[in-house]
Amino acid sequence: MRERGEIHPSLAGSLLLAHPKLLDPHFARTVILLSLHNAEGAMGVVLNRPMEKTLGELGHELASGVLSDVPLYQGGPVSPEQLILVAWETDSDAGNVKLYFGIDPEKLIELREEREIEVRGFLGYSGWAAGQLENEMKRESWIVAPVSQELVGGLEGRELWRAVVGNLSPRWKILADEPEDPERN
């Protein structure tokens, strides 16, 4: 029996894809990596809003170190000054992706020396209060998908959203390829 407010199953570690009809400018055509999802709410970062800057250009305490080349992304509208470091590595043979969310800079430097990992810095995050994400999902604002190879395939911006949504099914491929402005159809 589920307790009131309890969420099953957790979506942490999944991708949250904006439905094509979601027009909120903070989230239209976004791909969000959920790091937390429980009875108190949900949290993640937007993966496809590159800022065209690196950590070295930020003026952060880590700006002059070995992490100065880390690309920056707009992680979401909450706390846009907060830096969150995220890394992942893939096992292409098994098709697995191992995520390190909110990783400590010292641990990140150590991991980079040991193996090949993708690293990104996010300014801000996307957050939902208890039940808020579930209500938005009932209104079909979001599509849930597993973390996929597109994440590490070098795609950026709207192309990442289009690729991940388009790979869900033929129906989603058609919706993903629709122009944002219907008059351009």
Side-chain angles (χ1 to χ4, degrees):
M1 176 191 283
R2 292 203 318 200
E3 293 181 34
R4 187 170 180 226
E6 190 175 354
I7 298 171
H8 287 285
S10 173
L11 300 176
S14 299
L15 296 178
L16 197 59
L17 311 169
H19 192 284
K21 70 180 181 181
L22 180 62
L23 302 178
D24 178 330
H26 292 293
F27 297 111
R29 298 193 180 219
T30 55
V31 177
I32 297 175
L33 172 61
L34 282 179
S35 65
L36 173 73
H37 182 235
N38 60 30
E40 284 95 45
M43 176 190 163
V45 291
V46 176
L47 294 175
N48 63 328
R49 294 258 169 99
M51 296 178 68
E52 308 301 333
K53 292 183 179 180
T54 64
L55 192 53
E57 298 171 74
L58 185 61
H60 190 273
E61 62 189 56
L62 301 172
S64 62
V66 296
L67 300 177
S68 65
D69 64 336
V70 171
L72 291 174
Y73 290 74
Q74 293 175 344
V78 182
S79 298
E81 69 288 341
Q82 180 181 358
L83 175 65
I84 300 170
L85 295 173
V86 178
W88 58 83
E89 60 184 319
T90 59
D91 177 352
S92 54
D93 295 334
N96 296 329
V97 178
K98 183 173 183 179
L99 297 168
Y100 303 90
F101 194 93
I103 189 168
D104 179 69
E106 288 79 27
K107 178 67 175 170
L108 179 57
I109 292 168
E110 184 181 306
L111 278 173
R112 274 183 119 185
E113 291 172 356
E114 293 174 2
R115 55 186 86 135
E116 189 174 323
I117 58 172
E118 178 77 23
V119 180
R120 292 185 185 174
F122 295 90
L123 291 176
Y125 63 92
S126 303
W128 294 264
Q132 184 180 3
L133 178 58
E134 290 74 22
N135 287 334
E136 291 179 16
M137 291 177 70
K138 286 178 188 172
R139 291 191 308 267
E140 298 182 346
S141 297
W142 299 102
I143 307 158
V144 178
V147 173
S148 63
Q149 292 295 328
E150 287 85 2
L151 176 67
V152 295
L155 295 175
E156 294 284 341
R158 307 284 174 144
E159 292 307 312
L160 176 62
W161 177 86
R162 187 172 283 112
V164 176
V165 171
N167 283 337
L168 294 175
S169 74
R171 173 181 170 257
W172 286 113
K173 172 91 171 109
I174 291 169
L175 291 172
D177 288 338
E178 286 181 343
E180 291 178 55
D181 180 358
E183 291 184 16
R184 302 182 112 195
N185 200 1

